[in-house]
Amino acid sequence: MIQAETLELLEWPRLCQHLATFAATKLGVAAALDLEIPATQAQTAELLAQTQEAYQLDSRAGGALSFEGIQDIGTALQRAELQGLLSGEELLAIATTLAGARQLRRIIDSQADVPTLKELAAQLRTYPELEQEIHRCIDDRAQVADRATPKLAGIRVQMRQLRDRIYQILQGILQRQSNAVQEQLITQRSGRFVIPVKAPQKDAIPGIVHDSSASGATLYVEPHSTVNLNNQMRQFLRQEQAEEEAVRRALTEQVAAVKPDLDRLVVVVTTLDLAAAKSRYSFWLQANPPKFIELGEPELAPKNPETEDEEKEDDENSENSQLLIRNLRSQITLRHLRHPLLVWQQQHEQGFPVVPVDLTIGPHIRVVAITGPNTGGKTVTLKTLGLAALMAKAGMFIAAREPVELPWFDNILADIGDEQSLQQSLSTFSGHIRRISRILEVLHNKSQAEGEENSNLTITNSQQQDEEVADTQNTVSALPILKPKLQIPQPQIPITNSQLPIPKSLVLLDEVGAGTDPSEGSALAIALLKYLAQHSLLTVATTHFGELKALKYQDSRFENASVEFDDNSMQPTYRLLWGIPGRSNALTIAKRLGLLASIVDEAQTYVGGASQDVNQVIAGLEAQRRKQETKAREATQLLHQTEKLHREVSQKAAALQERERELKIAQEVAVNEAIGSAKSEIAQIIRRLQSGNQTAQNAQQATETLNQISEKHLPSRQQPAKPKPSFMPKVGDRIRIPSLGQTAEVLSGPDANEELSVRFGIMKMTVKLGEIESLDGQKPETKAQLAKAAAQAQALATAKAKQAAAEPAKPNPEIAIRTANNSIDLRGARVSDAEIEIDRALSKAVEYGVLWIIHGKGTGQLRRGVHEFLATHPQVSRFELASQKEGGAGVTVVYLK
């Protein structure tokens, strides 16, 4: 079967062996070694989801799946179903597996975002009662325990008592007949207790001889005194064995009763172990999950340019004879793709470093022709792509950088290597053709099977003719692509849906058309690739035929690629170049491998000039591509640096904004605290003045305290910041000349005329001090500016002095704080009595400096008398009516001298 051959050619079994090393159980190892490829994309999606969720759990602390205690119990379950008797080891393995599965389910249930694994774990039925019963009846040595049944416990008690009696009797014989025994030892032969007796003295201890040593010098004798006891012991042994079998039989029946659930448990546990092995293998491989590209809507296949003129003669028939194909919705992207087996070889077998390849294939490309030198890595590229497609189908990650995008191939078919066989009389060419024939047969059958999903269309009956030709021609002409080009009209027939091919296969061909005459081989290769372009989703072929390089320019479905060859080191670089056909470099490689230089030089003369010109053109293209790739890498690095710088600037700007916001909040908090503190201190002063006896000294202290509070909290009372020292240029400083828009260097400092020499570029000039400024915008102070500032300061001081001399001295209004001690109430008193009270109050109010006289409004006679008395009193400086809030015309405020 060609699918099985493909797996062998791509070394899939070897990759499965590597995967098996990451499994935790024997079940997982067996499943990994026999890893199946899913038949549907839905199955692949489920397997891939399992791998991704297991990968998530492995990356979480304490979330990794644990398979401790789980064993392979499949054989035991089958025997239990067939009414066989399970051993203690098998029963104990079933119990530990149930416990391990329960722990596994507990781990999965405790995690989030793993719906696929939870769905699997929900199918686990672990039967804790069966596990407990097995542990109750079977001990850690896999033996039936005494606690299994009361009868078994009684039998073993009697056996121990009987054994003690036998030992006691035999010990007495050993002591009494110490000269007759070989050594002081009690042993067993045929399940009976015996002692070693010297052969010459066997009559000293009468009994039954059960065995002898190899030399015959020692006889193992059962004394007559213990024969009956040994017989009883044998009976107890048979009873014990029968009871143990009954216990194990009962447990086996319980296992058989739940065998379907236990079978399902084994399957689920194996699936989980396999998913965990895939995730760990993917982590080790530094792989990424694939994303499958879907097919687009059917489109007409592009016409062949060679037959386009003939098709134009009958446009209707031309369109009907074309097949509908479905292109991919996006390109295949496999960047930095590595061969997993080569990675393993590098890590574990000290192999060479793995050179990754980049595969970027457009959605309309159906055939990729890879050319280039031998030993250049063409075959490795085919195998790498084939293994990547297989791994993706099997639910594994691919060793490539993200994004990993490729289609889901229903078939992966390969013809790689040489199938030459003397036993089967197959040449290299015949072997390739046989294998390709099997590939085409699979494609043909698959197209018919999948065509049922499409609508009725009309195409030619070329496939039917191909089958008729295949019955009459040999193996080579049996290929559908090699049918004779009959120059007869092909009738149009309506066909069913099953005849419409829907290509979804990947075909890998190594050295297509090789092993025969080059002209015929290239013709065969061209025809084969054109056929595969119509009947497969993607074909990747390696070749040395130059004719295949030109297919790209004739059919848009073809693409060229080549493996790079370093002309300087004469070594392949194993890098894959796209869009450029490769050079075989056969002569260069032959020379490097040690072929005589004279032969290589003579062969060079036989190479056609056109071939040399083409090679030179290709070499130029490769050199140009390398330059462009270098520039692209540099541009990418610059872009990364720019993005990094942008991120840093953005982070710093955000940090500054956050710092500014924090400072504003802190300032608001500080202002609010200052206001609250000032209010609290003022309130304390007022309360202190209003309570008890107050003196002028206390009022003065309160005034000073209020002044201190205002200076501490009011910005208007705070001392202004000292002005920055003015800018004065020195020799060597860099300054700016705004009128010229130039930056210059100072050659000499300012002279008496405030002029200085500067230089910018090659020019020197003299400028005024007032015409320059510092680089941060500071202006220098000239003599005129200093004189003007001094004159203004002097004039301001003189004006303040004159104003202070002209203004009369006023009492400090801040001491006018009304309290109970500097207030007097005269309402209702006569003027004569009021004068006496006022004089007495004025004497007491000297230390306060102010006195409040409450006389009321009334007729105003008392107020007039009070004012007349105050006007002539020697201690009164002045008096006035109080403010409206303090009583207005009913209160007079007196200021003392």
Side-chain angles (χ1 to χ4, degrees):
M1 189 176 181
I2 187 61
Q3 287 89 343
E5 291 182 39
T6 298
L7 296 181
E8 292 293 336
L9 293 174
L10 296 178
E11 300 181 86
W12 177 254
R14 186 179 167 199
L15 185 140
C16 293
Q17 292 176 1
H18 297 169
L19 174 64
T21 60
F22 292 88
T25 66
K26 292 182 178 180
L27 296 169
V29 170
L33 291 176
D34 193 23
L35 188 62
E36 296 182 357
I37 308 297
T40 64
Q41 187 172 350
Q43 295 175 346
T44 296
E46 183 177 1
L47 293 177
L48 192 58
Q50 295 171 6
T51 305
Q52 289 176 314
E53 293 178 6
Y55 192 94
Q56 294 176 9
L57 294 183
D58 285 338
S59 61
R60 298 175 184 173
L65 298 179
S66 173
F67 297 88
E68 183 179 359
I70 295 177
Q71 302 181 39
D72 185 3
I73 60 175
T75 304
L77 295 180
Q78 292 179 359
R79 191 160 65 255
E81 185 182 27
L82 298 175
Q83 298 182 353
L85 183 62
L86 299 183
S87 64
E89 290 83 358
E90 292 172 326
L91 291 170
L92 196 61
I94 292 174
T96 57
T97 299
L98 292 174
R102 188 181 306 108
Q103 176 65 19
L104 190 62
R105 184 178 61 189
R106 188 178 296 114
I107 293 175
I108 295 175
D109 290 341
S110 65
Q111 300 295 323
D113 303 329
V114 285
T116 305
L117 297 186
K118 285 187 176 182
E119 184 178 354
L120 281 174
Q123 304 176 24
L124 293 174
R125 297 194 61 184
T126 56
Y127 292 100
E129 64 281 359
L130 176 59
E131 175 194 347
Q132 295 174 2
E133 183 65 15
I134 292 176
H135 282 302
R136 187 186 70 83
C137 298
I138 308 296
D139 59 19
D140 295 337
R141 299 173 301 166
Q143 302 295 326
V144 180
D146 294 351
R147 58 180 176 271
T149 62
K151 181 178 181 181
L152 179 62
I155 293 174
R156 288 182 174 175
V157 168
Q158 294 178 355
M159 290 177 63
R160 284 191 291 271
Q161 295 174 352
L162 184 59
R163 185 181 299 107
D164 291 341
R165 290 179 56 191
I166 295 174
Y167 264 73
Q168 184 178 5
I169 294 173
L170 293 179
Q171 285 289 352
I173 295 175
L174 289 175
Q175 293 176 1
R176 291 192 303 271
Q177 303 291 338
S178 59
N179 295 329
V181 298
Q182 193 73 28
E183 57 180 325
Q184 297 289 325
L185 176 67
I186 299 176
T187 184
Q188 282 187 329
R189 289 294 184 274
S190 301
R192 305 180 75 87
F193 291 97
V194 295
I195 55 177
V197 179
K198 298 177 181 178
Q201 300 184 13
K202 64 177 180 179
D203 296 335
I205 302 177
I208 302 172
V209 177
H210 288 277
D211 196 5
S212 63
S213 64
S215 62
T218 303
L219 301 177
Y220 294 94
V221 178
E222 177 187 7
H224 290 304
S225 57
T226 62
V227 171
N228 291 332
L229 297 177
N230 274 324
N231 290 338
Q232 295 179 21
M233 181 63 70
R234 293 296 296 273
Q235 293 177 359
F236 284 135
L237 283 174
R238 285 192 293 270
Q239 294 177 10
E240 180 189 31
Q241 291 175 355
E243 192 62 23
E244 288 178 351
E245 289 182 1
V247 172
R248 288 190 287 117
R249 174 68 65 185
L251 294 176
T252 301
E253 292 176 353
Q254 295 183 36
V255 170
V258 295
K259 178 184 179 295
D261 292 335
L262 297 184
D263 285 337
R264 184 58 187 167
L265 181 144
V266 171
V267 173
V268 171
V269 169
T270 304
T271 303
L272 293 173
D273 189 17
L274 190 57
K278 292 177 182 177
S279 71
R280 292 162 187 163
Y281 181 56
S282 300
F283 179 81
W284 174 85
L285 200 58
Q286 297 180 357
N288 290 296
K291 177 183 178 182
F292 293 112
I293 308 171
E294 300 297 333
L295 293 174
E297 297 299 325
E299 300 176 0
L300 284 177
K303 300 177 181 180
N304 190 340
E306 297 178 358
T307 61
E308 188 173 359
D309 294 337
E310 299 177 2
E311 292 175 350
K312 288 182 180 178
E313 297 177 358
D314 190 353
D315 293 338
E316 183 179 358
N317 292 340
S318 171
E319 294 181 0
N320 290 338
S321 63
Q322 286 182 268
L323 295 176
L324 285 178
I325 62 173
R326 299 173 68 186
N327 292 327
L328 298 174
R329 295 185 183 274
S330 61
Q331 68 178 8
I332 298 174
T333 304
L334 295 171
R335 293 188 177 92
H336 212 74
L337 179 63
R338 292 166 292 138
H339 196 296
L341 301 184
L342 294 181
V343 175
W344 182 278
Q345 184 176 346
Q346 176 190 1
Q347 297 290 336
H348 294 277
E349 302 172 12
Q350 298 180 351
F352 294 102
V354 180
V355 179
V357 297
D358 291 332
L359 297 177
T360 306
I361 305 173
H364 64 284
I365 299 299
R366 291 302 180 89
V367 178
V368 177
I370 303 178
T371 54
N374 293 313
T375 70
K378 298 190 300 296
T379 304
V380 173
T381 300
L382 290 183
K383 290 187 175 182
T384 305
L385 176 59
L387 279 179
L390 287 173
M391 292 172 68
K393 287 191 66 175
M396 303 169 66
F397 290 4
I398 297 178
R401 290 178 179 174
E402 289 186 314
V404 180
E405 298 178 344
L406 74 165
W408 188 89
F409 298 104
D410 55 3
N411 278 307
I412 301 171
L413 310 170
D415 174 31
I416 300 175
D418 192 355
E419 204 182 39
Q420 183 178 10
S421 174
L422 295 178
Q423 295 178 351
Q424 300 179 15
S425 300
L426 289 176
S427 65
T428 299
F429 178 73
S430 300
H432 280 296
I433 294 301
R434 287 284 183 88
R435 190 179 287 158
I436 291 174
S437 298
R438 293 193 290 271
I439 291 175
L440 297 181
E441 182 181 358
V442 172
L443 293 179
H444 183 71
N445 295 337
K446 192 68 177 179
S447 297
Q448 287 185 337
E450 293 187 351
E452 297 178 356
E453 301 176 0
N454 296 273
S455 60
N456 292 330
L457 295 171
T458 303
I459 63 172
T460 62
N461 60 348
S462 58
Q463 294 179 353
Q464 182 178 356
Q465 294 178 358
D466 291 343
E467 295 175 358
E468 296 175 356
V469 175
D471 295 336
T472 59
Q473 294 182 337
N474 55 23
T475 303
V476 177
S477 61
L479 297 176
I481 60 170
L482 296 180
K483 63 182 184 295
K485 295 184 178 180
L486 302 177
Q487 302 299 326
I488 58 175
Q490 296 181 353
Q492 305 295 324
I493 60 173
I495 63 169
T496 60
N497 298 343
S498 62
Q499 291 174 298
L500 180 66
I502 304 177
K504 291 182 64 177
S505 299
L506 172 64
V507 180
L508 306 172
L509 302 178
D510 188 24
E511 300 295 346
V512 58
T516 186
D517 178 75
S519 60
E520 294 183 359
S522 63
L524 175 63
I526 292 173
L528 175 61
L529 294 183
K530 286 186 176 182
Y531 178 85
L532 292 176
Q534 198 71 46
H535 293 81
S536 68
L537 182 57
L538 178 63
T539 299
V540 182
T542 65
T543 182
H544 287 285
F545 294 132
E547 291 81 358
L548 270 64
K549 305 174 185 178
L551 290 176
K552 171 185 176 180
Y553 309 102
Q554 302 173 6
D555 194 330
S556 61
R557 298 173 298 175
F558 285 74
E559 179 61 277
N560 284 332
S562 61
V563 287
E564 188 180 35
F565 188 81
D566 191 347
D567 294 329
N568 296 325
S569 63
M570 297 299 173
Q571 295 275 351
T573 63
Y574 305 105
R575 294 178 64 243
L576 195 62
L577 304 179
W578 288 90
I580 299 178
R583 297 170 290 158
S584 294
N585 293 295
L587 299 181
T588 304
I589 294 175
K591 188 175 182 179
R592 180 172 62 86
L593 295 177
L595 191 63
L596 290 176
S598 58
I599 298 177
V600 176
D601 294 340
E602 184 175 358
Q604 190 71 41
T605 62
Y606 298 141
V607 177
S611 177
Q612 293 182 355
D613 294 341
V614 172
N615 285 337
Q616 291 178 0
V617 171
I618 294 175
L621 291 174
E622 291 177 353
Q624 183 179 4
R625 184 188 186 98
R626 284 193 291 269
K627 291 180 181 179
Q628 295 297 330
E629 288 179 349
T630 302
K631 292 181 179 180
R633 285 195 298 270
E634 294 175 354
T636 302
Q637 293 176 357
L638 181 60
L639 178 60
H640 290 336
Q641 293 174 0
T642 305
E643 291 175 348
K644 180 180 179 182
L645 179 61
H646 180 267
R647 287 194 298 269
E648 293 177 354
V649 172
S650 300
Q651 291 174 359
K652 290 181 179 179
L656 288 175
Q657 292 177 355
E658 181 65 20
R659 177 60 178 167
E660 182 180 0
R661 188 183 66 83
E662 292 176 355
L663 288 176
K664 287 182 179 179
I665 295 175
Q667 289 175 354
E668 292 178 0
V669 172
V671 169
N672 292 331
E673 290 179 352
I675 293 174
S677 177
K679 289 181 177 179
S680 175
E681 293 177 4
I682 292 173
Q684 291 178 2
I685 292 172
I686 294 175
R687 285 195 298 271
R688 189 166 61 249
L689 290 174
Q690 291 178 347
S691 62
N693 296 325
Q694 298 296 328
T695 64
Q697 184 179 2
N698 292 338
Q700 185 65 29
Q701 291 177 355
T703 302
E704 294 176 355
T705 304
L706 291 175
N707 290 334
Q708 294 175 359
I709 294 172
S710 64
E711 291 176 358
K712 182 171 63 175
H713 296 292
L714 295 178
S716 61
R717 297 292 187 92
Q718 296 178 2
Q719 294 293 331
K722 294 183 178 180
K724 295 183 178 178
S726 61
F727 165 68
M728 185 58 64
K730 300 186 293 297
V731 176
D733 287 352
R734 301 286 297 177
I735 54 95
R736 183 183 295 108
I737 307 175
S739 60
L740 300 179
Q742 296 288 338
T743 301
E745 179 184 358
V746 178
L747 299 179
S748 63
D751 55 12
N753 297 326
E754 295 187 340
E755 293 181 347
L756 64 159
S757 299
V758 297
R759 176 177 61 194
F760 53 90
I762 60 175
M763 296 182 61
K764 296 181 180 179
M765 64 182 301
T766 302
V767 296
K768 290 288 187 179
L769 187 61
E771 296 177 353
I772 68 170
E773 63 182 17
S774 65
L775 296 181
D776 57 358
Q778 295 184 25
K779 291 285 188 179
E781 291 186 354
T782 62
K783 293 180 180 179
Q785 292 174 340
L786 292 175
K788 183 178 180 180
Q792 291 177 349
Q794 183 65 28
L796 182 62
T798 304
K800 288 183 177 180
K802 291 180 179 181
Q803 183 179 2
E807 290 181 356
K810 295 182 179 180
N812 191 352
E814 294 182 353
I815 64 174
I817 299 177
R818 183 177 178 179
T819 64
N821 295 326
N822 59 358
S823 300
I824 181 173
D825 190 354
L826 301 177
R827 286 176 294 184
R830 294 187 178 94
V831 175
S832 57
D833 296 334
E835 292 177 352
I836 297 173
E837 294 294 332
I838 292 172
D839 186 64
R840 188 182 300 131
L842 288 174
S843 300
K844 295 181 180 180
V846 172
E847 58 182 346
Y848 300 107
V850 64
L851 175 67
W852 275 266
I853 300 176
I854 305 172
H855 44 67
K857 298 178 181 179
T859 61
Q861 185 177 358
L862 179 60
R863 181 179 68 244
R864 286 192 298 269
V866 170
H867 286 181
E868 291 174 358
F869 179 76
L870 293 175
T872 59
H873 200 284
Q875 292 181 344
V876 177
S877 173
R878 64 185 179 90
F879 60 89
E880 60 185 11
L881 293 176
S883 62
Q884 195 66 30
K885 64 181 181 180
E886 291 182 343
V891 178
T892 297
V893 182
V894 183
Y895 296 95
L896 304 183
K897 294 181 179 178

